[in-house]
Amino acid sequence: MADPQSQTDFSFFQTFLCSAFAACVAELCTIPLDVAKVRLQLQKKAAAADGMGQSRYRGLMGTIATIAREEGLPALWKGVIAGLHRQCIYGGLRIGLYDPVKLYLVGNNFVGDIPLHQKILAALFTGAVAISVANPTDLVKVRLQAEGKLPAGVPRRYSGTLDAYFTIIRQEGLMALWTGIGPNIARNAIINAAELASYDQVKQMILKIPGFLDSIFTHLLAGLGAGFFAVCIGSPVDVVKSRMMGDSTYKNTIDCFVKTLQNEGPYAFYKGFLPNFGRLGSWNAVMFLTLEQAKKLFGL
């Protein structure tokens, strides 16, 4: 009989690989929406208005069209390498740890459906742990995505993903890679709880409806539901996180929150809501669909 601990370790390793793979597939499919979301979130009223009082980026499709027209189609995949780095670490850890932590909270002898609050606690913890490790990849991804079209003769801050890592360390110090760690932990813990716990719960509820099976359609519905809950709950911290990582003028999380509120009002915290939902909704649908199929291959 196999050692239970070795089985648990192997199961975690398999789940980690499946999760990282699924997250990377979703990242590749949806990163243009993420680029648009970041540009909209970083757009400030004073800086974004041109001589006609028009914002440079307007709406999801308008932002994508503007970026493609001004910078070329490849610009829509800015930060994709850092994004894949992030998903390999963050995506693998947050989902790979979720079931073990969930089972630890309820105990190995627990029988029945795990309570929602235990799912939320497990997802909050795994999201916080995962992003604490992956924050440097998130920072580089946002910095690369934040750069728009520059005037002629003005060089870019970073020539690529690896150059961004080394330049940040050289110019700002090693700990600068953890800039924005506070709002990033808050954002990812909250969004992870909204995604994993809601997916878990919605899928569980759907499967109790007569006629519904553990099928692709069920995974699609649960994934879209997870994305919607994640955006509704996590948008304010997501905006603060993006601004802190893309703009070094903010002193800390509270300073960024207060200045955004004072200068732009409460609606600024839901700036980019539709592209964010378009991004997270489609991202979760693709990720969970891929994850469920990958887990079947491993027999998980």
Side-chain angles (χ1 to χ4, degrees), residues 183 240 244 249-257:
V240 171
M244 283 197 67
T249 60
Y250 297 113
K251 297 176 183 177
N252 50 49
T253 305
I254 301 299
D255 180 57
C256 181
F257 181 88

Side-chain angles (χ1 to χ4, degrees), residues 79-98:
V80 66
I81 301 301
L84 295 177
H85 292 170
R86 178 186 187 273
Q87 295 304 339
C88 283
I89 300 170
Y90 175 70
L93 284 175
R94 74 180 181 114
I95 300 174
L97 291 171
Y98 177 61

Side-chain angles (χ1 to χ4, degrees), residues 3 20 23 41 48 67 92 96 100 107 121 152 156 173 175 189 199 201 204 210-211 215 229 258 265 280 290 298:
D3 176 29
Q41 287 178 338
I67 294 170
L121 285 175
R156 295 196 174 276
M175 294 310 297
Y199 180 81
Q201 194 72 14
Q204 180 181 304
S215 62
F229 283 116
V258 171
L280 273 181
T290 307
F298 277 102

Side-chain angles (χ1 to χ4, degrees), residues 24-265:
C24 285
V25 170
E27 190 77 6
L28 284 170
C29 292
T30 63
I31 194 134
L33 298 173
D34 195 41
V35 172
K37 179 207 74 173
V38 169
R39 295 287 181 90
L40 284 168
Q41 287 178 338
L42 294 178
Q43 183 169 253
K44 298 177 183 178
K45 288 182 179 178
D50 59 19
M52 299 295 292
Q54 297 287 326
S55 295
R56 183 179 181 188
Y57 302 119
R58 300 178 66 84
L60 174 60
M61 299 312 297
T63 300
I64 290 175
T66 299
I67 294 170
R69 183 176 63 254
E70 294 184 352
E71 305 169 47
L73 284 175
L76 291 170
W77 275 266
K78 275 185 178 177
V80 66
I81 301 301
L84 295 177
H85 292 170
R86 178 186 187 273
Q87 295 304 339
C88 283
I89 300 170
Y90 175 70
L93 284 175
R94 74 180 181 114
I95 300 174
L97 291 171
Y98 177 61
D99 280 337
V101 172
K102 193 170 56 173
L103 292 175
Y104 174 80
L105 290 174
V106 298
N108 291 329
N109 297 322
F110 181 84
V111 177
D113 294 334
I114 295 175
L116 178 60
H117 73 276
Q118 298 285 35
K119 297 175 183 177
I120 293 173
L121 285 175
L124 284 170
F125 177 77
T126 61
V129 169
I131 201 59
S132 296
V133 178
N135 196 80
T137 63
D138 216 9
L139 175 74
V140 169
K141 177 185 171 185
V142 171
R143 292 272 183 101
L144 290 171
Q145 289 178 338
E147 279 195 333
K149 184 179 181 181
L150 299 175
V154 177
R156 295 196 174 276
R157 283 195 295 176
Y158 314 114
S159 60
T161 304
L162 291 179
D163 178 64
Y165 286 117
F166 290 119
T167 300
I168 291 169
I169 293 172
R170 186 174 63 252
Q171 295 180 352
E172 305 173 47
L174 179 63
M175 294 310 297
L177 289 172
W178 277 267
T179 298
I181 185 65
N184 214 14
I185 287 177
R187 182 252 186 196
N188 284 279
I190 292 169
I191 288 182
N192 194 51
E195 287 179 351
L196 295 188
S198 64
Y199 180 81
D200 214 352
Q201 194 72 14
V202 170
K203 180 182 171 184
Q204 180 181 304
M205 292 170 62
I206 291 174
L207 290 176
K208 289 181 179 179
I209 301 174
F212 278 88
L213 302 173
D214 190 7
S215 62
I216 288 178
F217 183 64
T218 298
H219 303 157
L220 178 63
L221 287 179
L224 288 172
F228 179 75
F229 283 116
V231 177
C232 289
I233 295 170
S235 268
V237 286
D238 189 41
V239 169
V240 171
K241 183 268 297 188
S242 290
R243 292 202 171 183
M244 283 197 67
M245 289 184 166
D247 188 342
S248 59
T249 60
Y250 297 113
K251 297 176 183 177
N252 50 49
T253 305
I254 301 299
D255 180 57
C256 181
F257 181 88
V258 171
K259 285 182 177 176
T260 301
L261 183 62
Q262 288 177 340
N263 296 333
E264 302 173 55

